[in-house]
Amino acid sequence: MDQSKSDFTQGSILKKLTLFMIPVLGALILQAAYGAVDLLVVGRFGTTAGLSAVSTGSQVLNLITFVVTQFAMGITVLIARYIGEKKMNSIGALIGGATVVFAIISAIIFVVMITLASPISTLMQAPKEALGLTATYVRICGAGIFFIVAYNLLSAIFRGLGDSKSPLLFVAVACVINIIGDLVLVAGLHLDAAGAAMATVFAQAISVIFALMLLFKRKLSFKITKHDFKINSHCVRALKIGLPLALQECLTQISFLALCAFINRLGASSGYGVACKIVNFAMLVPSSLMQSMASFVAQNVGAGDEKRAKHAMFTGMGIGLIIGVVVFILVLFKGDLLTSIFTTEKAVILQGYANLKGFALETIVTAILFSMIGYFNGHYQTVWVMVQGLIQTLLVRLPLSYYMSIQPHANLTNIGLAAPIATIVGIILNVCFYIYLSKK
């Protein structure tokens, strides 16, 4: 790994941030492609019940994945901070301790998803005809949760080291495996939702093996010994950074599951599920900005260059806004074309497009919000990030979505509007906190 490329404390901010962000974005696109390919193949070669099962079941899997990703953010930020502070000897102990912690987390999630698959599917208000398939999807994904968690931990480690290209490489291999698996198991063997889940898990397993091979072959600037594999002060410090983010993400994703339940009650689960896949893709640029910003800012804060850290945040906002406007136009005016990629049913296409019309503004405002969140994460201000996130979700987006869903002429466009409204509230909160920190 070229140390000059992973050193964010000098050189052009725009160039280095962009070069680091592009592979992060690529990896996120391919990760999102997992679920999108599942939905696409099941929509065309499976059953309507299978499509609902994948749509609802993937919401549960997203909750797990997003929470683990946010938890692992503590690892990314702390590794980057140690690099900025030139404390390379601390990185091995951090990685060893984190491995133990995430293994424990995986075991807990495994038990919950395997034993409670049916109650979870019922809680999600999956359609009766899709209840069994949804439970099967959740159970199979639960069986492979060790690979899913391991992949996210390894990605966090590589990005903390300033290397965003390696995670892109091994997820690219996994994506190809997933597509082949879907075509064989769903289109060929007609295993419907269960086949989609199997293909996803197998693809994640391949990505983990490939990542470990890359890590062991690499010449690292630190050592990891067997004595590092224990809960130590370094991993505890990372947990303190990641835990607020994970808690916020957990509650936020649970609220999204509640929103999914509202939609199911309107009988539009398939259309909403298709819209969610497009939403996931639209949010990838802001998400990659947030992840990249955390590493970039943490290194500069560790090196004592606060001015450069602030400059990076505003640079990220500029990048996000330019791309956000393009995505906004595409989603608002060509949303029906996008939804038709995933299904041939006209009613589902129209339902999905209706939700996207309300959501469209989110593609612009989220670029500002996520750049600020990445900046705060790089400063260890994760408790604030949790608080502002919960205010947005629990006090604005969820109540507003519920209110829209119980109106006499409820529609998916009005429900979709709750997202950008909540984000605008979040921006106001974060600007106030930024001013407070600057004065402090």
Side-chain angles (χ1 to χ4, degrees):
M1 182 172 64
D2 188 341
Q3 294 297 323
S4 64
K5 291 182 179 180
S6 60
D7 182 1
F8 302 143
T9 61
Q10 53 189 336
S12 167
I13 292 177
L14 177 60
K15 181 180 179 181
K16 289 206 168 184
L17 183 59
T18 303
L19 289 177
F20 185 74
M21 173 189 158
I22 289 174
V24 174
L25 175 61
L28 290 176
I29 289 173
L30 293 179
Q31 276 187 285
Y34 283 166
V37 168
D38 288 348
L39 205 65
L40 177 63
V41 176
V42 172
R44 293 188 178 275
F45 298 102
T47 62
T48 302
L51 185 63
S52 290
V54 172
S55 174
T56 306
S58 62
Q59 294 288 325
V60 178
L61 186 60
N62 283 344
L63 185 154
I64 304 297
T65 303
F66 291 149
V67 169
V68 169
T69 299
Q70 290 302 310
F71 211 7
M73 183 65 73
I75 311 297
T76 299
V77 169
L78 198 51
I79 290 176
R81 184 70 167 258
Y82 284 157
I83 291 173
E85 295 172 344
K86 309 299 182 185
K87 296 180 179 177
M88 305 305 292
N89 293 334
S90 300
I91 297 177
L94 170 59
I95 293 175
T99 302
V100 174
V101 171
F102 276 78
I104 295 170
I105 293 171
S106 299
I108 294 171
I109 298 173
F110 171 81
V111 172
V112 171
M113 292 184 73
I114 294 294
T115 58
L116 300 179
S118 293
I120 289 172
S121 302
T122 303
L123 185 65
M124 286 292 297
Q125 296 189 22
K128 287 185 178 179
E129 66 274 11
L131 199 59
L133 285 175
T134 304
T136 300
Y137 187 95
V138 171
R139 196 171 286 115
I140 292 171
C141 289
I145 202 67
F146 291 95
F147 300 116
I148 294 170
V149 171
Y151 163 75
N152 284 284
L153 174 60
L154 287 163
S155 294
I157 292 170
F158 276 104
R159 285 167 187 154
L161 294 171
D163 178 7
S164 58
K165 292 182 180 178
S166 293
L168 174 60
L169 287 175
F170 53 76
V171 76
V173 172
C175 193
V176 173
I177 299 297
N178 184 56
I179 293 172
I180 295 172
D182 274 334
L183 292 175
V184 172
L185 298 173
V186 180
L189 299 179
H190 305 292
L191 294 179
D192 212 12
M198 291 176 194
T200 297
V201 169
F202 185 64
Q204 290 281 14
I206 296 297
S207 73
V208 169
I209 294 169
F210 191 58
L212 289 173
M213 288 172 60
L214 284 178
L215 189 63
F216 289 141
K217 287 183 177 181
R218 173 153 296 169
K219 291 183 179 180
L220 300 171
S221 56
F222 58 90
K223 292 183 179 180
I224 305 175
T225 68
K226 63 180 181 181
H227 301 293
D228 291 327
F229 290 91
K230 61 184 179 182
I231 298 178
N232 52 49
S233 60
H234 299 285
C235 72
V236 169
R237 188 181 181 189
L239 291 180
K240 287 180 180 178
I241 300 170
L243 189 57
L245 298 177
L247 179 59
Q248 177 226 328
E249 190 66 34
C250 182
L251 295 175
T252 300
Q253 291 301 320
I254 287 173
S255 74
F256 288 166
L257 296 185
L259 177 58
C260 186
F262 300 160
I263 302 295
N264 283 344
R265 191 172 56 190
L266 295 176
S269 62
S270 295
Y272 178 70
V274 168
C276 280
K277 293 301 177 188
I278 296 167
V279 166
N280 288 344
F281 276 107
M283 288 294 98
L284 293 183
V285 171
S287 295
S288 62
L289 262 175
M290 181 174 63
Q291 289 188 26
S292 304
M293 192 67 64
S295 297
F296 205 99
V297 169
Q299 261 199 42
N300 283 284
V301 171
D305 194 345
E306 178 59 37
K307 184 178 179 180
R308 186 176 171 85
K310 288 183 178 180
H311 192 180
M313 178 183 70
F314 290 113
T315 301
M317 286 182 186
I319 296 170
L321 285 173
I322 292 171
I323 300 173
V325 170
V326 175
V327 177
F328 168 79
I329 294 170
L330 183 63
V331 168
L332 187 62
F333 297 106
K334 294 295 182 181
D336 53 343
L337 183 64
L338 297 175
T339 54
S340 66
I341 295 172
F342 297 98
T343 180
T344 55
E345 294 185 30
K346 190 173 182 180
V348 176
I349 292 172
L350 294 176
Q351 286 173 353
Y353 186 25
N355 187 248
L356 290 176
K357 287 178 181 177
F359 165 84
L361 182 60
E362 178 81 342
T363 61
I364 296 176
V365 292
T366 303
I368 299 173
L369 178 67
F370 279 22
S371 291
M372 298 189 80
I373 289 175
Y375 173 80
F376 292 135
N377 284 342
H379 278 82
Y380 295 0
Q381 297 291 340
T382 53
V383 172
W384 163 252
V385 172
M386 176 185 72
V387 170
Q388 62 86 37
L390 295 181
I391 290 173
Q392 283 182 67
T393 303
L394 302 182
L395 299 185
V396 183
R397 183 171 187 172
L398 193 58
L400 192 56
S401 297
Y402 177 72
Y403 174 76
M404 294 296 189
S405 74
I406 61 174
Q407 296 306 300
H409 302 289
N411 61 74
L412 293 180
T413 300
N414 289 341
I415 292 174
L417 275 171
I421 291 173
T423 298
I424 291 169
V425 171
I427 291 172
I428 295 170
L429 290 172
N430 280 287
V431 167
C432 292
F433 187 70
Y434 176 78
I435 294 172
Y436 164 75
L437 276 187
S438 296
K439 288 182 177 180
K440 184 179 178 181

